[in-house]
Amino acid sequence: MKNKRFWNQFFTYVYLIFMTVIIIYPLLITVTSAFKSGNLISFDLSFEGELTLNNFRRLFNDTLYGTWYMNTLMVAVVAMFIQVTIITLAGYAYSRYRFIGRKSSLKFFIVVQMVPTIAALTAFYVMALLVGGLDTHGFLIFLYVGGAIPMNTWLMKGYFDTVPIDLDESAKLDGAGHLRTFAQIVLPLMRPMIAVQALWAFMTPFGEFMLARFILRSPEKYTVAIGLQQFINDPRQQRVTLFAAGAILIAVPISILFFYLQKNFVSGLTSGGTKG
């Protein structure tokens, strides 16, 4: 038993060390590249050379990075609020109510989710032309929210199912209506899943490239994912240090939101919610 426990712990630590190296290595390359003076033609993990903040100043003085950053923040915040609102209401409806087409629509959500985004790019382009959404942030937000609804509605419904329905029935006996039951009884217990959904929705515009590049055409309307790609898309003019500096700044708002929401990333809030 001792030998078995030893080998289990040994392979567990080896696996954790391996995964840590895989995660930290590219981060170290990005950080060291962001603070190097001059310019680099390729990413390289090296601690040699003078460290400087000049790359960050160049981002905002010599490029449109500040505009891209504000565009992304706007898209992320709006998409987050709309997506969380729709998914929360949809998940509650699918969990608590029985209506015609409920099972069929849930199955349809799964089928839609199986279609890769690249297969729908032509349809998105035609739709953007029809509604005048090409090169607009509003249509990009619409695609982000619409693409997130199917799978996240399933996840939200599953979490609503873990909330005892006895709470709803008790509230109804006390005279609470559907909206009051949802807002004051059930919704506070959903904070962990709502926090996760909010973080996912907020992160998407910062890292998503394909849809944004397909919809947005004007440089002043780019998001940071498209803008940063401009620094390294030309093999003859690589601006690696600017790319690395911009990539680091992406993590700032995401980290702030994560630390703000982390107190909600817990489970078991509904345990003990009912008697017996």
Side-chain angles (χ1 to χ4, degrees), residues 38-93:
N39 194 19
L40 303 175
I41 60 174
S42 64
F43 290 96
D44 181 31
L45 181 58
S46 173
F47 298 96
E48 299 178 356
E50 180 184 356
L51 299 181
T52 179
L53 294 175
N54 188 52
N55 295 321
F56 295 92
R57 287 191 291 266
R58 289 172 57 200
L59 268 180
F60 293 95
N61 295 332
D62 302 338
T63 72
L64 293 174
Y65 185 82
T67 302
W68 302 335
Y69 205 85
M70 296 307 299
N71 292 340
T72 311
L73 278 176
M74 184 273 295
V75 172
V77 171
V78 174
M80 177 183 68
F81 278 107
I82 296 176
Q83 179 177 318
V84 170
T85 300
I86 293 176
I87 291 173
T88 302
L89 293 173
Y92 181 75

Side-chain angles (χ1 to χ4, degrees), residues 27-186:
L27 290 178
L28 285 177
I29 293 178
T30 303
V31 172
T32 55
S33 300
F35 291 95
K36 287 183 178 179
S37 59
N39 194 19
L40 303 175
I41 60 174
S42 64
F43 290 96
D44 181 31
L45 181 58
S46 173
F47 298 96
E48 299 178 356
E50 180 184 356
L51 299 181
T52 179
L53 294 175
N54 188 52
N55 295 321
F56 295 92
R57 287 191 291 266
R58 289 172 57 200
L59 268 180
F60 293 95
N61 295 332
D62 302 338
T63 72
L64 293 174
Y65 185 82
T67 302
W68 302 335
Y69 205 85
M70 296 307 299
N71 292 340
T72 311
L73 278 176
M74 184 273 295
V75 172
V77 171
V78 174
M80 177 183 68
F81 278 107
I82 296 176
Q83 179 177 318
V84 170
T85 300
I86 293 176
I87 291 173
T88 302
L89 293 173
Y92 181 75
Y94 277 106
S95 175
R96 291 302 195 258
Y97 303 121
R98 301 297 180 266
F99 49 88
I100 298 176
R102 175 177 174 272
K103 291 184 178 180
S104 299
S105 58
L106 285 173
K107 293 178 182 178
F108 177 73
F109 281 167
I110 295 297
V111 174
V112 170
Q113 198 65 34
M114 294 179 182
V115 179
T117 302
I118 192 172
L121 286 179
T122 303
F124 292 154
Y125 181 79
V126 174
M127 189 186 307
L129 290 178
L130 291 176
V131 301
L134 197 63
D135 202 24
T136 64
H137 295 132
F139 190 77
L140 184 63
I141 293 172
F142 169 76
L143 293 181
Y144 285 152
V145 174
I149 287 176
M151 182 57 67
N152 288 316
T153 298
W154 264 98
L155 296 176
M156 189 65 76
K157 173 193 173 298
Y159 202 92
F160 270 115
D161 289 341
T162 65
V163 178
I165 199 171
D166 296 350
L167 298 176
D168 300 55
E169 295 174 351
S170 299
K172 291 178 182 177
L173 290 175
D174 291 337
H178 294 285
L179 184 59
R180 185 175 182 183
T181 300
F182 167 75
Q184 297 186 0
I185 305 300
V186 181

Side-chain angles (χ1 to χ4, degrees), residues 12 61 148 164 189:
T12 299
N61 295 332
L189 301 176

